[in-house]
Amino acid sequence: MRLSQFFLPTLKETPSEAQIVSHRLMLRAGMVRQLSAGIYSWLPLGYRVLKKIEQIVREEQDAIGCNELLMPTIQPAELWQESGRYEDYGLEMLRITDRHDRNILFGPTNEEVITDIFRKEVKSYKQVPQLLYHIQWKFRDEIRPRFGVMRGREFLMKDAYSFDIDYESSRHSYNKMFLAYCRTFSRLGVKAIPMVADTGPIGGDLSHEFIILAETGESEVFCDKTWLDKDLTGKGVDLNDRTNLEGWVQTTLADYAATDEKHEAENCPVSGDDLIATRGIEVGHIFHFGTKYSEPMGATVLGPDGKDVPVMMGSYGIGVSRLVGALIEASHDENGIVWPEEVAPFRVGLINLRTGDDACDAACEDIYGKLKNAKIDVLYDDRDMRAGGKFADMDLIGLPWQIVVGPKGLANGVVELKNRKTGERSEVTLEAALNQIGA
Ligand code: ATP
Ligand code: MG
């Protein structure tokens, strides 16, 4: 992509409405713009990151055999009356009346809709387990939308649902999802610690929140410092071996980690310097809630003994749009964002120090073509403006690699290669630069 043709409205000044660094940087880097309280438009740079995160989340759901579908954003009130949550959900639910005076709502979550799909289509124990998910916009009329996309009113969530015949099988589904979450966050380049959590209005008996430690987080959290070095990549775990998977989950969870609702100072097994008491950002939440919805909504299957039993369910959310902000909270410096490779909007930023100079233009075109041929996402700053502004913008938007092309270097047959994360710069031949970034 050529920057002269890319819609990238960066800001030099720090926007006064933004209280935390990720929100400031997302505005300054031209990633999002607020349309109304807690409602954002995703501009091209931000949208590229959102889609990359979404794709990693998707791949890890697919990898555990979870089937992707897409449910609507608008739901009928009747379904929520059946589950008993229409009144309970309170003011966070955006209630709407259509032209026929029917009560509808913009979905804050999808337990009711998925349970309705399940009960209509699945009749026998032979058709479970089922693992289903979608990635869809949600609306919650948050009392205090803030921190940009971190606590929006409209936000993108991955929500998955499991249906099983009995507790053992249902627990296995929960464990699979636990593994998928560990793998997802590892791939995203962040440490998200699973913490024992309250189940809240969704209800249930087993629940973990995945939390990225950050001073700017909204939750107070407590954990053993061993979490900081723990490997959560889930390598070598056998998904289909219940005992192996359960063993891995139990070992992983052996060290203490809890949100403030569950933390009791007097009963905490770790203390002193071993206990980290800080704040965190909730990026995922998994619940096992048994028959809470299947019972009132009549989602039963015929068991092997010929008797109808309500299915055991779980639900599993990831805040896809919140993650964009959370990743920035976890990875930035005084000059701007520092994207992990996996989610960077482009892998390489190519800076032409003297647009209009024949040699510089020709060299940049050559590099641009080579990177494109190698299928490496590149943003080429071909704008006719001074170098300082180009450097500042490139650091601000945080692409992992920068290739800087200027007349002096070209005369000596070299370009400058900069690693955004380490700040390391080297004068190398074009071939060496391309080699180093894997082109
Ligand atoms: P929170 O405690 O932050 O209000 P929640 O417990 O109500 O979140 P869940 O119902 O568990 O949220 O939703 C699953 C995930 O969706 C959360 O872990 C979070 O990452 C994300 N999420 C929830 N509410 C918002 C919001 N208002 N804006 C952005 N993301 C959100
Ligand atoms: Mg939650």
Side-chain angles (χ1 to χ4, degrees):
M1 179 64 67
R2 288 167 200 277
L3 227 171
S4 62
Q5 286 159 35
F6 191 59
F7 184 64
L8 184 70
T10 56
L11 309 172
K12 274 202 200 65
E13 310 301 327
T14 297
S16 58
E17 75 266 31
Q19 299 165 35
I20 61 172
V21 67
S22 59
H23 189 194
R24 286 197 287 271
L25 288 172
M26 286 182 76
L27 293 171
R28 286 195 50 215
M31 293 177 66
V32 289
R33 287 295 180 261
Q34 181 175 304
L35 177 65
S36 168
I39 303 180
Y40 288 84
S41 299
W42 291 79
L43 304 189
L45 191 79
Y47 191 43
R48 287 178 80 95
V49 177
L50 187 69
K51 283 191 289 186
K52 289 219 163 161
I53 295 175
E54 180 183 332
Q55 185 55 22
I56 289 173
V57 170
R58 173 177 290 119
E59 285 169 14
E60 294 303 326
Q61 293 293 297
D62 293 346
I64 58 161
C66 199
N67 286 188
E68 186 170 12
L69 47 71
L70 184 60
M71 293 175 268
T73 53
I74 301 292
Q75 307 178 11
E78 286 79 16
L79 271 185
W80 288 70
Q81 282 152 354
E82 273 192 65
S83 74
R85 281 210 294 181
Y86 191 61
E87 303 307 328
D88 290 356
Y89 214 91
L91 293 173
E92 270 187 24
M93 181 186 281
L94 179 62
R95 297 153 206 262
I96 311 165
T97 310
D98 73 9
R99 69 199 294 166
H100 306 293
D101 262 343
R102 288 188 196 112
N103 293 323
I104 54 178
L105 56 104
F106 196 116
T109 178
N110 283 64
E111 281 80 8
E112 282 76 2
V113 177
I114 198 83
T115 305
D116 183 55
I117 292 173
F118 182 91
R119 70 179 171 185
K120 286 177 174 149
E121 311 304 331
V122 179
K123 305 286 178 205
S124 157
Y125 73 95
K126 293 180 185 154
Q127 296 164 279
V128 292
Q130 288 288 343
L131 275 174
L132 301 166
Y133 78 100
H134 74 162
I135 301 174
Q136 177 65 290
W137 293 92
K138 305 291 186 288
F139 194 95
R140 294 183 187 174
D141 205 354
E142 299 277 355
I143 186 161
R144 227 154 50 105
R146 58 185 181 154
F147 303 156
V149 300
M150 296 259 252
R151 182 163 299 282
R153 293 199 296 164
E154 189 178 82
F155 59 97
L156 188 60
M157 194 204 283
K158 182 285 299 179
D159 40 323
Y161 304 89
S162 63
F163 300 87
D164 286 270
I165 185 79
D166 56 28
Y167 183 76
E168 272 61 47
S169 161
S170 195
R171 177 140 189 145
H172 183 52
S173 294
Y174 186 90
N175 287 345
K176 280 186 183 173
M177 207 50 89
F178 184 94
L179 174 65
Y181 274 46
C182 288
R183 288 179 171 165
T184 303
F185 298 123
S186 297
R187 278 186 65 188
L188 291 171
V190 281
K191 166 132 300 161
I193 302 176
M195 304 202 182
V196 180
D198 230 13
T199 49
I202 296 192
D205 55 11
L206 177 62
S207 167
H208 291 91
E209 283 180 2
F210 285 78
I211 294 193
I212 297 176
L213 302 185
E215 293 295 333
T216 48
E218 288 187 285
S219 326
E220 248 191 291
V221 298
F222 302 85
C223 69
D224 193 318
K225 70 168 192 244
T226 49
W227 279 103
L228 299 181
D229 308 310
K230 201 187 284 257
D231 176 15
L232 291 175
T233 51
K235 278 200 193 81
V237 183
D238 184 354
L239 192 68
N240 297 310
D241 178 339
R242 278 193 194 185
T243 322
N244 175 283
L245 179 56
E246 173 76 21
W248 179 76
V249 171
Q250 289 312 324
T251 320
T252 304
L253 288 174
D255 297 309
Y256 186 76
T259 60
D260 61 347
E261 296 114 350
K262 285 281 176 180
H263 176 74
E264 292 168 2
E266 56 283 8
N267 297 325
C268 180
V270 270
S271 58
D273 285 350
D274 290 339
L275 183 69
I276 300 176
T278 182
R279 307 184 74 80
I281 302 165
E282 180 194 323
V283 288
H285 197 164
I286 58 180
F287 300 88
H288 182 265
F289 44 71
T291 59
K292 182 177 155 88
Y293 300 95
S294 56
E295 232 164 49
M297 294 184 67
T300 59
V301 292
L302 209 55
D305 57 359
K307 283 199 196 111
D308 259 340
V309 284
V311 283
M312 293 266 178
M313 292 175 60
S315 78
Y316 314 88
I318 290 185
V320 177
S321 51
R322 175 178 288 181
L323 266 167
V324 181
L327 293 184
I328 297 174
E329 287 293 325
S331 185
H332 64 270
D333 63 18
E334 63 282 4
N335 297 321
I337 303 167
V338 180
W339 288 117
E341 290 258 359
E342 285 256 26
V343 299
F346 298 91
R347 182 112 187 276
V348 180
L350 173 61
I351 297 179
N352 186 342
L353 285 183
R354 202 168 291 169
T355 302
D357 174 271
D358 286 345
C360 287
D361 290 352
C364 285
E365 288 300 332
D366 178 44
I367 299 170
Y368 185 61
K370 285 185 171 134
L371 287 169
K372 283 183 55 166
N373 278 338
K375 300 261 182 295
I376 289 186
D377 279 337
V378 49
L379 183 64
Y380 170 25
D381 194 345
D382 59 342
R383 293 173 300 177
D384 187 9
M385 60 184 257
R386 48 171 206 95
K390 291 189 179 185
F391 287 134
D393 274 350
M394 208 50 98
D395 277 353
L396 175 63
I397 67 172
L399 311 184
W401 296 98
Q402 296 175 13
I403 297 178
V404 184
V405 178
K408 268 194 222 131
L410 280 185
N412 298 321
V414 293
V415 295
E416 188 182 82
L417 180 67
K418 175 175 159 184
N419 181 297
R420 175 69 181 86
K421 189 171 176 183
T422 62
E424 211 175 301
R425 300 152 182 273
S426 49
E427 301 247 296
V428 292
T429 62
L430 174 58
E431 286 65 40
L434 295 177
N435 235 337
Q436 200 162 338
I437 57 182

